[in-house]
Amino acid sequence: MSRLNKRIEGHEKKKKRNGWIVGLLTTAVLAGTLLPVGPVHLTSTANAASGTSDTALSKFKDIKGHWAQATIAKAYEKNLISGYQDGTFRPNGKITRGEYATILARATGLEKVEGQNPFSDLKGHWSEAAVSQLVGQGFINTDDYAKGFNPNAELTRYEMMKWIANGLIKSGTSFQDAFNDTKNTLLPTPEVNRGTIRAEQIPYLALVRGTGIVGGFQDGTLKPADSTTRAEVSAILLRYMDVEGTDAGKYSDLNEMREVGTTGTNLTTISNYFYTKNSVKVSDISKGDIKLSNKSGVLTLHRFIVVKVQNGKPQGVYSKLFVEPNISSGDYYLTFADLSFISNTDKSDLITYSGGLNNGLLSFRRLDLEFADKNGFKTIPNSPKELIIKGKKVRFWTRSTLDFKNGSYHVKAEDVGEMKIQNMYQ
């Protein structure tokens, strides 16, 4: 059977199953105490098919005016979620592993697998069937729970994201390719500069961030160690349902991160620049030294991030991470270079260093200091000598610009080759 036919069959099975099993009441309110209960049959197929937002509003007395009101109503209509016996949904309530597994098992369109329960502490629990299904489908890695699944534990945001990333990988080879491409990428979140995201977490987070399933908080953070709420899970799983089984190549944010992961830059994804004949990539350049022409120092280029600015508005997955508010109007490309540098002079003179970069691609211009500090970037301070000391290798970020059109730039690394880009056609 083809993958497409399996997916269609899986969706049909899910529709039939959800027609009869509408919701899982995970707790009951009895005498002010929350008590666990099992699945409850609440409605018929006909009633489920005619569900509306008004139905959800009448069902849950605590969602009116909540930011996720429409999302909760939609999730209820799709038979993904239910509420509590006291008529509440508790959108801000923390969700457990067992609850999330039950909802995710309904949301996926992957072919159902009757998996075996590998967790001794799950036997007899109301979420046992759902967890076993997700293990069989590949959403849950049993190695992640070597000491037991603990279904009543609060779910972390990383667990939430990893499970659905695993689901994406199982839904199509393009997501497996994207996963592999983003293992060495730069996540567009300030937490990567603060050491709170481990290297092995990066590709899982890249998949859900790059496809828009998880957009992050207002400050751009993903907060993988935090718990998550019933409202957030409702929104995220609805988006997951739209992405599962699609082509990873259709998501521009993910494509930027894939290019960074494989070449060290997102240049050709976000801009109209292209490499000229015999050009090497940033990932090649990073293996060699770039010697300043006036012998004032030697630098290494690690990453080169590009943000497109059109009509004064920054675009691309990295725009919020790198670009401060109130930038100059017009059309141009902002670039941000991750550099290691060794100065050969005591002067720590940025004008001298910049004079040794006669290619226009790189510069010794600092990032906006307040914005850089907020997002955890190390850049050149107001007094460069506080960072740059003769003979000491230091690493920091700088910024520059590329012409929006008719631009041509190059930079050469010793014993590696030359990176040559342009957006002019001859």
Side-chain angles (χ1 to χ4, degrees):
M1 182 182 292
S2 68
R3 180 179 288 109
L4 177 60
N5 288 335
K6 288 181 178 178
R7 178 171 170 76
I8 292 172
E9 180 181 331
H11 274 295
E12 291 303 317
K13 289 181 179 179
K14 183 181 69 175
K15 289 178 181 176
K16 291 178 182 178
R17 183 174 72 254
N18 284 346
W20 294 102
I21 302 175
V22 175
L24 178 66
L25 293 177
T26 58
T27 55
V29 180
L30 298 175
T33 304
L34 295 177
L35 299 175
V37 298
V40 178
H41 299 275
L42 295 179
T43 188
S44 68
T45 304
N47 290 336
S50 62
T52 64
S53 296
D54 289 338
T55 301
L57 283 173
S58 62
K59 175 70 177 176
F60 307 130
K61 60 188 179 183
D62 60 345
I63 67 170
K64 187 174 183 180
H66 192 275
W67 66 264
Q69 174 182 319
T71 296
I72 294 167
K74 186 176 181 180
Y76 178 70
E77 292 162 14
K78 288 182 175 291
N79 302 322
L80 297 182
I81 54 116
S82 65
Y84 293 84
Q85 288 181 338
D86 62 352
T88 63
F89 178 72
R90 304 177 195 174
N92 298 322
K94 305 302 183 183
I95 197 164
T96 67
R97 290 172 182 165
E99 290 172 330
Y100 180 61
T102 302
I103 302 172
L104 179 55
R106 294 178 186 146
T108 179
L110 296 182
E111 182 180 12
K112 186 176 179 180
V113 177
E114 298 295 340
Q116 297 296 315
N117 172 19
F119 305 111
S120 59
D121 65 341
L122 190 64
K123 188 175 182 179
H125 192 271
W126 49 261
S127 66
E128 181 179 5
V131 174
S132 299
Q133 174 189 323
L134 295 182
V135 170
Q137 290 172 317
F139 285 89
I140 298 175
N141 297 332
T142 57
D143 290 344
D144 292 340
Y145 303 98
K147 296 181 179 180
F149 186 71
N150 194 2
N152 297 321
E154 287 186 357
L155 183 83
T156 67
R157 287 176 54 80
Y158 177 62
E159 287 176 296
M160 174 187 67
M161 291 184 277
K162 183 174 182 178
W163 292 9
I164 57 179
N166 283 333
L168 292 179
I169 293 170
K170 296 298 182 181
S171 75
T173 57
S174 67
F175 286 109
Q176 179 66 68
D177 293 338
F179 179 86
N180 294 336
D181 289 345
T182 54
K183 288 181 178 179
N184 295 310
T185 197
L186 175 69
L187 283 175
T189 171
E191 291 149 311
V192 297
N193 299 320
R194 299 169 184 162
T196 57
I197 292 179
R198 303 189 304 273
E200 67 269 19
Q201 295 178 324
I202 289 175
Y204 297 102
L205 301 179
L207 284 189
V208 297
R209 175 64 181 85
T211 54
I213 296 174
V214 177
F217 292 89
Q218 190 172 5
D219 61 358
T221 58
L222 290 172
K223 300 181 181 179
D226 285 9
S227 56
T228 190
T229 67
R230 292 163 56 82
E232 291 169 342
V233 164
S234 299
I236 287 167
L237 286 184
L238 285 173
R239 290 196 289 267
Y240 171 76
M241 292 172 71
D242 290 335
V243 176
E244 184 186 79
T246 60
D247 186 342
K250 67 181 285 188
Y251 302 99
S252 58
D253 285 356
L254 182 57
N255 288 337
E256 282 191 66
M257 285 189 275
R258 293 177 72 173
E259 187 183 2
V260 172
T262 54
T263 72
T265 181
N266 60 332
L267 177 76
T268 64
T269 302
I270 192 65
S271 78
N272 58 0
Y273 276 83
F274 57 91
Y275 297 102
T276 60
K277 187 177 181 180
N278 298 323
S279 174
V280 301
K281 308 292 177 61
V282 173
S283 53
D284 301 310
I285 288 281
S286 66
K287 299 172 185 176
D289 293 332
I290 300 171
K291 296 183 178 180
L292 275 58
S293 60
N294 58 12
K295 300 182 180 181
S296 60
V298 177
L299 63 83
T300 302
L301 174 61
H302 301 290
R303 284 178 173 148
F304 188 73
I305 303 299
V306 182
V307 174
K308 181 179 181 179
V309 179
Q310 196 159 17
N311 297 321
K313 297 180 179 180
Q315 302 173 20
V317 72
Y318 294 104
S319 58
K320 290 184 178 180
L321 182 64
F322 283 95
V323 183
E324 70 277 8
N326 304 318
I327 59 173
S328 301
S329 60
D331 300 336
Y332 52 97
Y333 294 104
L334 279 174
T335 64
F336 302 86
D338 177 13
L339 306 174
S340 288
F341 181 63
I342 300 176
S343 174
N344 292 334
T345 175
D346 290 320
K347 295 182 179 180
S348 299
D349 185 349
L350 299 188
I351 296 177
T352 299
Y353 299 143
S354 295
L357 289 170
N358 51 16
N359 55 69
L361 186 70
L362 304 174
S363 77
F364 278 84
R365 180 185 174 191
R366 62 178 61 89
L367 277 61
D368 180 270
L369 290 175
E370 182 177 351
F371 196 76
D373 181 66
K374 174 184 175 183
N375 286 337
F377 286 108
K378 179 181 285 188
T379 191
I380 303 171
N382 281 325
S383 177
K385 64 182 180 180
E386 295 176 4
L387 173 68
I388 302 174
I389 301 171
K390 182 180 179 180
K392 181 181 178 181
K393 188 174 185 178
V394 291
R395 188 167 177 173
F396 51 86
W397 286 85
T398 64
R399 70 188 291 167
S400 190
T401 59
L402 300 179
D403 291 330
F404 203 72
K405 56 183 179 180
N406 298 325
S408 179
Y409 303 87
H410 65 93
V411 62
K412 182 178 180 180
E414 295 290 323
D415 302 322
V416 173
E418 191 170 17
M419 177 179 165
K420 299 175 288 185
I421 62 171
Q422 67 177 50
N423 64 356
M424 60 178 66
Y425 294 84
Q426 299 175 342

